[in-house]
Amino acid sequence: MEKSEKLIIIGSGPAGLTAGIYAARGGLNPLVIAGREAGGQLIQTTDVDDFPGFPEGIQGPELMSKIRKQAERFNTRFISEDVVSVDFSKKPFEIKTETQVLSAQTVILATGASAMWLGLESETKLRGKGVSACAVCDGFFFKGKNVVVVGGGDTAMREAAYLSKLCKKVTVVHRRDQLRAQLALQELVKSKPNVDLIWNSQVEAVLGQDKVTGVKLKNTQTGETQEFQIDGIFIAIGHKPNTTFLKGQINLDQKGYVVIHDETKTSVDGVFVAGDVADYHYRQAVTAAGAGCKATFDAEEYLENMK
Ligand code: NAP
């Protein structure tokens, strides 16, 4: 095993890279385990119009590339591998990647969350061409248009409410006859005159060649199918935090999110957390970046106290 690192950051979305910038500037010589698919959810986004500092907007991949360059400018080091397992019962902590065993005095977990998809071929083909999982990121492109939101939970209601302010018509498609979302959000959506609900229906296919033109639904009770024209479809069936490798090592909640206390602390002293892996509520690049900064300050203080 190599000598122990002061700080290992796992994840390379806005949270992990911001932690890298702050930690490198703070003299911690951080190592970022960036993952095989580096850059987080923004890599799958097109125009980002709400990240401060880019008055004309910026493409998601370009934004991530810029933040990474900024971290590299201060000599943050990167490994383009996934973490396979961790052992937080040891001190220093042990982290196994696909080819290496690393050790660290402190760790920042910033592995993010991934939007869940329906798993349809047509959905994958049209992703970024009318299929999205983020109304705040992409809703603007559907101003005055007709869209579908799939799902019956809090996320779907929030997405529908947000889109109702921009779109001509929003149709929520839910697979059962009862919403899972909290009552207040259900009522909010039902109060919008341009939002309709279609019950007991699953998406069979997203229609269109180069862009979304419609959707094919199947009624789960009768088996009947229907097609109608839309310009966009937002899949809001939940997010999955990327914490499989953390099971048994750290406290996770029922949905698998890292349980957080005092802003960035986890159940393991010396292991900090930032971004969507512990946040199902805000889930914005800018909030994740802020959390990455906070986690670094807390890791720095922990290292100081270790001396
Ligand atoms: P969720 O509560 O798990 O709801 C997912 C919804 O998608 C459910 O209605 C589910 O249907 C549906 N669904 C799942 N898989 C599907 C599939 N393959 N095909 C069609 N529909 C499918 O997820 P979430 O709404 O993202 O919420 C996650 C957590 O974040 C929750 O704890 C929620 O309270 C929290 N959250 C809170 C807020 C807030 O403003 N307070 C906002 C967003 C999220 P069924 O109902 O039939 O299972």
Side-chain angles (χ1 to χ4, degrees):
M1 198 188 295
E2 304 285 321
K3 78 171 176 45
S4 176
E5 301 283 348
K6 278 189 191 152
L7 170 64
I8 285 184
I9 298 161
I10 309 178
S12 58
L17 292 181
T18 304
I21 293 168
Y22 275 83
R25 287 170 58 80
L28 301 185
N29 189 25
L31 176 66
V32 176
I33 306 180
R36 278 171 180 268
E37 287 172 30
Q41 290 178 63
L42 278 185
I43 291 292
Q44 282 156 25
T45 313
T46 49
D47 305 62
V48 177
D49 282 331
D50 50 12
F51 199 90
F54 298 95
E56 311 301 329
I58 184 167
Q59 295 290 302
E62 194 191 344
L63 174 61
M64 292 321 298
S65 155
K66 279 181 185 289
I67 304 179
R68 179 159 170 158
K69 277 189 193 138
Q70 195 173 348
E72 283 168 345
R73 190 175 132 216
F74 302 109
N75 300 323
T76 302
R77 294 162 298 139
F78 289 87
I79 293 181
S80 302
E81 289 183 33
D82 285 339
V83 169
V84 176
S85 64
V86 293
D87 187 346
F88 290 157
S89 65
K90 289 183 180 165
K91 291 231 172 151
F93 305 118
E94 186 181 282
I95 295 159
K96 282 191 184 148
T97 69
E98 291 155 90
T99 66
Q100 303 179 51
V101 180
L102 302 162
S103 86
Q105 290 161 41
T106 55
V107 173
I108 294 177
L109 302 169
T111 44
S114 308
M116 298 203 297
W117 298 97
L118 296 167
L120 301 167
E121 211 174 289
S122 53
E123 170 196 54
T124 312
K125 186 181 87 177
L126 293 166
R127 216 184 280 173
K129 297 169 185 161
V131 174
S132 169
C134 177
V136 177
C137 321
D138 300 327
F140 183 77
F141 305 110
F142 300 92
K143 216 171 171 183
K145 299 196 168 166
N146 297 322
V147 299
V148 153
V149 173
V150 184
D154 286 353
T155 301
M157 297 307 109
R158 286 250 179 242
E159 297 280 88
Y162 181 85
L163 290 164
S164 72
K165 292 183 262 170
L166 299 167
C167 301
K168 189 169 158 200
K169 189 175 169 199
V170 179
T171 306
V172 176
V173 173
H174 183 37
R175 63 182 177 184
R176 291 188 295 132
D177 62 356
Q178 221 182 355
L179 294 170
R180 176 182 294 276
Q182 52 177 285
L183 213 55
L185 289 176
Q186 292 190 29
E187 277 163 9
L188 173 72
V189 164
K190 285 176 185 166
S191 73
K192 306 278 181 191
N194 61 341
V195 179
D196 272 355
L197 274 139
I198 297 185
W199 303 103
N200 297 317
S201 294
Q202 283 273 31
V203 175
E204 278 238 307
V206 183
L207 308 175
Q209 283 309 316
D210 303 323
K211 62 178 183 129
V212 171
T213 55
V215 67
K216 182 178 179 185
L217 302 181
K218 184 175 183 177
N219 187 300
T220 54
Q221 313 271 294
T222 62
E224 275 171 35
T225 58
Q226 62 163 314
E227 289 184 13
F228 59 90
Q229 288 185 350
I230 50 165
D231 305 289
I233 180 164
F234 290 82
I235 313 299
I237 60 171
H239 281 77
K240 206 173 157 300
N242 300 317
T243 51
T244 312
F245 69 102
L246 293 172
K247 276 188 190 134
Q249 294 292 327
I250 207 159
N251 281 357
L252 303 175
D253 71 10
Q254 278 187 333
K255 303 234 178 208
Y257 288 89
V258 175
V259 175
I260 206 164
H261 67 93
D262 294 343
E263 299 274 350
T264 71
K265 294 184 182 137
T266 70
S267 57
V268 179
D269 209 23
V271 177
F272 302 89
V273 67
D276 289 14
V277 71
D279 170 22
Y280 57 72
H281 187 63
Y282 297 105
R283 295 200 312 236
Q284 299 300 301
V286 72
T287 52
C293 162
K294 287 189 202 171
T296 309
F297 285 158
D298 290 346
E300 227 168 336
E301 191 180 305
Y302 174 86
L303 287 167
E304 276 299 312
N305 291 339
M306 263 175 80
K307 281 184 191 164

